């Protein structure tokens, strides 16, 4: 691109029409016609402008006439050139301003894009945080619910404990009374039958009472209402009471094999651990139910052992297993592969969070149709 | 950026008179036009002005021929000093080979001087030039007026800069104008000789360069 200050050529200064007209006017003033051109003819006089020869003037009747005409042209050129210079400068600065505007525009666009990207990132971050908060809220809700259920259970257990205690001892005494009665009443067939039946009734009631007493004791262990947050826990005891409670819920045909190992006590949160064991056992029981043969032939293994990582708890079933495509999601809160209404799906999330809170690990191995094994590792600390 | 065309054996250099409004840039150029008698001198082109104030620029071409036939031109430009003509100032400044900064000596004008100098720095940067490597002379004009900042004080203030010593002038009275110009030519020669081997290739030594381009009318005639 030419700059405004580049020396103008003859064509820059005058159009060919203007040049022709200038030639005519000059010729009219001179005795002989003169001509301005870019070529140097012999005898032509240089047309100087700003130390620059812009053209040559030839013709005329004498050198003097040529010089006079050239002077006049140079004089005119000066004004034409001034206009040209100013116009070119104006053009240059306008163009430069425009270019600058465009550059600013580009910069503005770029920064706008940056902000847009930032704001979408912000949206992602907000969504993420909202999910975290939702999750925390759910966990909180769930644990509050569990706590109140646990409190209720513990309260009920406490209330039942006394009457069941005196019921048991009363039934025992009543049994002795039946023996006494045998000595006292005449030994007839009818009396013997009556007293045998009486003794059976008292025996069954006594069995029932002791079953109630053991459920109450499991409930108390399970909810650990009278325990501080973190305390030394006997994992076997907690696991066992969870097993018993589950069996109470599912009936005795649920086959749970307990294989407790020798364990050190660990520092932990007893009711949360109980809840975790219960959830995992419950999942296992549901998996059996959903399996081919139902709970028939289904078996749950609840095993504990100790190794260098700490206490290891394995809960294994030979139920339906977890499909590959959903295995990744099993920890998502609310994710549940069970039919709607069968559970909230929070079980595994609660289990994972509890294990995390105990700085342990949880691992799930599953094969669809074969079963699932959940392994918890809890450091002894 | 010197405009050198080896085919035509021509070298055109651009000198820009910069400074705050009304500091006397146009006056400097007009004085050079009338006082100088260099080998070659063109017309002084004063483009649009309003109330004596430059709207576009002024331009004076001068030149000399070297032994090698080198056609050396110097185009002297002034910029409009008024703040609002910044884009014009930038356009005129672009591709400059040297700058004369004309400051106003009056005490009340020192802020304007500083602003204009900052503006020069900024615009040089924008047109891709570096103030530290560009040949430059700094002139404090209007020494004839009362209430100007003292000579010694000014010299001391600028002592640590590459542009010391300052040139003192009263352009309106033609004083210090040629001296300023010569200082500039001296600094310009160093750069141009380095790039175009004025001395070895074209037989133009420093003294010739300065003398031929800044010959005063009387001296020349004498
Ligand atoms: N007293 C005095 N006045 C001066 C001197 N030099 C210039 N002036 C006056 O200052 C006024 C401005 O001078 P210019 O040369 O037009 O200033 P400029 O720097 O070209 O101004 P802009 O074109 O607006 O940037 C004129 O009235 C000059 O006569 C000087 O040395 N002494
Ligand atoms: Mg001016």
């Amino acid at each position: 691109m030419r700059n405004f200050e580049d020396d103008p050529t003859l064509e820059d200064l005058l159009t060919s029409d203007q040049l022709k007209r200038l030639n005519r006017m000059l010729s009219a003033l001179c005795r002989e016609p003169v001509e301005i051109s870019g070529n140097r003819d012999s005898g032509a006089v240089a047309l100087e402008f700003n130390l620059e020869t812009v053209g040559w003037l030839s013709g005329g009747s004498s050198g003097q006439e040529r010089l006079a005409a050239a002077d006049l042209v140079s004089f005119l050129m000066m004004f034409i050139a001034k206009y040209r210079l100013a116009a070119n400068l104006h053009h240059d600065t306008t163009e430069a301003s425009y270019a600058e505007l465009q550059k600013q525009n580009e910069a503005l666009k770029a920064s706008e894009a940056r902000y847009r990207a930032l704001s979408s990132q912000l949206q992602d971050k907000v969504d993420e945080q909202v999910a975290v908060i939702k999750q925390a809220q759910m966990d909180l809700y769930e644990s509050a619910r569990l706590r109140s259920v646990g409190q209720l259970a513990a309260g009920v257990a406490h209330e039942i404990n006394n009457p069941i205690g005196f019921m048991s001892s009363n039934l025992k005494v009543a049994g002795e009374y039946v023996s006494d009665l045998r000595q006292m009443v005449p030994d007839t067939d009818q009396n013997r039958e009556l007293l045998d039946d009486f003794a059976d009734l008292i025996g069954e009631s006594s069995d029932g009472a002791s079953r109630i007493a053991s459920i109450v004791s499991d409930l108390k262990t399970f909810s650990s209402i009278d325990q501080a947050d973190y305390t030394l826990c006997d994992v076997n005891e907690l696991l066992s009471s969870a097993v018993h409670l589950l069996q109470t819920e599912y009936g005795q045909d649920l086959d749970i094999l307990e294989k407790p190992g020798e364990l050190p006590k660990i520092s932990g949160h007893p009711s949360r651990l109980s809840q975790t064991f219960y959830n995992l056992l419950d999942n296992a029981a549901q998996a059996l139910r959903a399996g081919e043969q139902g709970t028939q032939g289904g078996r749950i293994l609840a095993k504990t052992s100790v190794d260098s990582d700490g206490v290891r708890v394995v809960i294994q079933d030979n139920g339906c297993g977890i499909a590959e495509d959903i295995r990744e999601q099993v920890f998502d809160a609310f994710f549940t592969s069970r039919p709607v209404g069968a559970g909230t799906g929070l079980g595994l999330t609660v289990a994972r969070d509890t294990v995390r809170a105990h700085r342990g690990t949880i691992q799930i191995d599953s094969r669809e149709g074969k079963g699932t094994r959940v392994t918890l590792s809890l450091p002894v600390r | 950026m010197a405009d050198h065309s080896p085919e035509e054996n021509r070298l055109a250099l651009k000198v820009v008179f910069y400074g705050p409004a009304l500091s006397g840039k146009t006056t400097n150029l007009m004085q050079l036009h009338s006082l100088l008698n260099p080998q070659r001198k063109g017309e002084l082109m004063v483009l649009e002005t309003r109330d004596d104030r430059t709207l576009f620029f002024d331009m004076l071409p001068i030149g000399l021929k070297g032994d090698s036939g080198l056609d050396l031109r110097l185009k002297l430009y002034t910029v409009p000093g008024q703040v609002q003509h910044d884009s014009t100032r930038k356009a005129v400044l672009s591709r400059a080979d040297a700058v004369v900064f004309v400051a106003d000596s009056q005490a009340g004008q020192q802020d304007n001087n500083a602003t204009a100098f900052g503006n020069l720095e900024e615009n040089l940067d924008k047109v891709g030039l570096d103030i530290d490597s560009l040949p430059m002379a700094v002139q404090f004009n209007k020494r004839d007026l009362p209430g100007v900042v003292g000579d010694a004080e000014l010299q001391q203030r600028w002592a640590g800069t590459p542009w010391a010593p300052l040139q003192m002038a009263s352009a309106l009275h033609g004083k210090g104008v040629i001296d300023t110009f010569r200082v500039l030519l001296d600094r310009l020669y160093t750069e141009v000789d380095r790039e175009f081997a004025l001395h070895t290739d074209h037989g133009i030594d420093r003294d010739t360069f300065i003398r031929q381009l800044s010959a005063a009318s009387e001296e020349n005639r004498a």
Side-chain angles (χ1 to χ4, degrees):
Chain A
M1 198 196 94
R2 282 168 64 84
N3 289 83
F4 77 89
E5 61 220 298
D6 287 348
D7 288 314
T9 62
L10 193 58
E11 296 90 69
D12 288 335
L13 298 171
L14 293 170
T15 65
S16 59
D17 277 354
Q18 287 169 333
L19 189 62
K20 273 186 204 147
R21 215 168 134 197
L22 182 61
N23 279 333
R24 272 205 305 280
M25 291 187 289
L26 284 172
S27 298
L29 288 175
C30 296
R31 269 189 270 262
E32 295 280 331
V34 293
E35 193 187 352
I36 301 165
S37 76
N39 312 320
R40 177 180 196 171
D41 293 342
S42 62
V45 180
L47 291 172
E48 295 248 335
F49 165 70
N50 267 353
L51 308 184
E52 192 75 33
T53 303
V54 292
W56 300 89
L57 186 136
S58 54
S61 62
S62 65
Q64 205 186 356
E65 200 171 77
R66 279 195 292 278
L67 276 177
D71 257 1
L72 181 59
V73 172
S74 287
F75 184 67
L76 288 175
M77 289 289 187
M78 163 110 148
F79 297 96
I80 300 168
K82 263 193 193 180
Y83 168 76
R84 273 260 67 83
L85 271 171
N88 288 349
L89 175 73
H90 178 72
H91 175 260
D92 279 11
T93 53
T94 314
E95 214 155 69
S97 309
Y98 181 68
E100 190 143 313
L101 262 175
Q102 268 184 327
K103 226 163 71 188
Q104 279 173 3
N105 190 30
E106 293 300 319
L108 218 65
K109 271 193 199 151
S111 90
E112 195 193 314
R114 230 175 12 250
Y115 278 112
R116 206 174 305 132
L118 215 68
S119 88
S120 82
Q121 271 172 25
L122 212 67
Q123 191 56 53
D124 288 352
K125 287 241 165 67
V126 167
D127 290 349
E128 214 171 88
Q129 289 303 310
V130 165
V132 167
I133 291 169
K134 254 191 195 157
Q135 167 74 58
Q137 220 170 26
M138 281 307 162
D139 289 357
L140 209 65
Y141 166 74
E142 182 69 5
S143 76
R145 198 175 65 89
L146 290 176
R147 205 175 312 122
S148 60
V149 167
Q151 263 164 357
L152 184 66
V156 169
H158 185 75
E159 288 303 321
I160 289 174
N161 223 13
N162 281 334
I164 217 65
F166 64 72
M167 271 171 71
S168 292
S169 72
N170 286 358
L171 283 168
K172 206 170 151 207
V173 174
E176 283 161 17
Y177 286 172
V178 170
S179 301
D180 290 350
L181 273 178
R182 260 186 227 284
Q183 317 298 316
M184 292 176 217
V185 297
D187 187 10
T188 66
D189 278 352
Q190 199 190 359
N191 279 353
R192 210 180 303 129
E193 204 179 314
L194 193 83
L195 285 173
D196 285 350
D197 206 20
F198 198 178
D200 284 350
L201 286 179
I202 289 176
E204 278 170 28
S205 299
S206 191
D207 282 353
S210 57
R211 262 180 62 203
I212 292 176
S214 87
I215 290 172
V216 163
S217 136
D218 284 335
L219 264 178
K220 276 179 83 177
T221 312
F222 183 83
S223 55
S224 308
I225 192 65
D226 33 34
Q227 302 284 6
D229 263 9
Y230 271 82
T231 171
L232 279 182
C233 304
D234 181 340
V235 168
N236 282 332
E237 190 192 16
L238 296 174
L239 185 60
S240 178
S241 60
V243 166
H244 295 157
L245 280 176
L246 193 77
Q247 265 168 336
T248 310
E249 179 150 342
Y250 280 81
Q252 294 301 322
D253 59 336
L254 187 64
D255 186 1
I256 304 183
L257 181 64
E258 290 186 68
K259 280 193 172 177
E262 276 280 314
L263 296 185
K265 293 199 170 187
I266 68 164
S267 158
H269 196 288
S271 67
R272 289 187 70 181
L273 286 174
S274 295
Q275 183 67 50
T276 296
F277 297 151
Y278 186 85
N279 286 348
L280 296 176
L281 287 164
D282 188 41
N283 283 344
Q286 304 241 19
L288 293 187
R289 231 181 224 177
E292 307 260 290
Q293 67 279 66
T295 49
Q296 229 55 38
R299 163 185 281 190
I300 298 172
L301 173 69
K303 196 173 86 175
T304 60
S305 59
V306 65
D307 61 19
S308 59
D309 289 338
V311 167
R312 179 183 292 266
V313 179
V314 174
I315 293 169
Q316 189 175 335
D317 66 73
N318 56 356
C320 64
I322 304 170
E324 185 113 30
D325 56 324
I326 58 176
R327 209 165 299 154
E328 296 292 308
Q329 312 168 42
V330 294
F331 287 115
D332 289 359
F334 299 113
F335 174 79
T336 175
S337 57
R338 290 174 213 149
V340 180
T344 58
L346 266 164
L348 274 175
T349 314
V350 170
R352 183 196 54 192
D353 292 350
T354 301
V355 168
R356 272 194 192 153
H358 287 76
R359 302 191 191 192
T361 57
I362 181 169
Q363 191 192 332
I364 297 185
D365 303 297
S366 185
R367 276 217 277 153
E368 202 170 1
K370 297 281 179 206
T372 303
R373 180 173 64 217
V374 181
T375 309
L376 306 183
S377 187
L378 301 166
V380 177
R381 240 184 296 190
Chain B
M1 249 149 280
D3 189 1
H4 184 226
S5 82
E7 319 85 59
E8 296 175 67
N9 201 13
R10 254 179 61 164
L11 178 61
L13 302 170
K14 180 175 181 179
V15 176
V16 176
F17 284 70
Y18 212 95
L22 296 178
S23 66
K25 301 174 291 294
T26 301
T27 310
N28 260 272
L29 207 62
M30 283 168 32
Q31 288 292 0
L32 284 176
H33 180 242
S34 59
L35 294 178
L36 285 189
N37 196 359
Q39 244 191 34
R40 308 182 68 203
K41 180 166 78 174
E43 297 283 350
L44 171 65
M45 305 225 304
V46 177
L47 267 79
E48 261 326 285
T49 57
R50 185 174 301 150
D51 308 330
D52 256 4
R53 314 185 74 169
T54 308
L55 292 185
F56 288 86
F57 58 85
D58 313 305
M59 200 266 279
L60 172 67
I62 58 176
L64 70 80
K65 280 244 193 273
D67 290 347
S68 71
L70 176 74
D71 179 1
L72 190 141
R73 313 264 178 91
L74 224 59
K75 286 184 178 170
L76 313 180
Y77 286 88
T78 69
V79 298
Q82 289 183 90
V83 184
Q84 66 267 34
H85 299 303
D86 197 48
S87 50
T88 306
R89 250 194 315 278
K90 205 161 55 193
V92 174
L93 189 63
S94 85
R95 296 152 48 96
D97 295 289
V99 167
V100 176
F101 186 83
V102 180
D104 194 320
S105 297
Q106 296 173 91
Q109 294 298 316
Q110 300 315 300
D111 277 356
N112 289 341
N113 289 337
T115 308
F117 200 82
N119 175 261
L120 169 64
E121 216 170 341
E122 198 176 294
N123 279 339
L124 281 174
D125 192 53
K126 282 186 191 159
V127 301
L129 294 169
D130 175 22
I131 195 163
D132 289 317
S133 54
L134 192 72
M136 184 158 91
V138 176
Q139 176 194 84
F140 271 78
N141 189 29
K142 306 196 183 178
R143 298 309 296 171
D144 55 292
L145 288 179
V148 295
V149 183
D151 193 339
E153 186 185 338
L154 288 172
Q155 293 292 5
Q156 196 215 326
R157 256 190 239 163
W158 287 73
T161 71
W163 308 292
L166 301 174
Q167 304 308 305
M168 298 295 155
S170 178
L172 190 60
H173 304 104
K175 284 195 190 132
V177 172
I178 292 186
D179 294 334
T180 304
F181 188 53
R182 284 183 179 154
V183 168
L184 183 88
L185 289 175
D186 187 36
R187 292 177 186 167
L188 177 60
Y189 181 83
T190 310
E191 291 301 315
V192 179
D193 184 45
R194 184 181 7 243
E195 192 171 349
F196 300 102
L198 286 189
H199 194 185
T200 51
D201 289 5
H202 303 286
I204 304 173
D205 64 13
R206 184 179 297 268
D207 186 57
T208 312
F209 183 81
I210 298 172
R211 205 164 22 81
Q212 297 276 29
L213 286 171
S214 68
S217 304
E218 316 81 62
E219 290 173 19
N220 219 42
R221 247 179 260 129

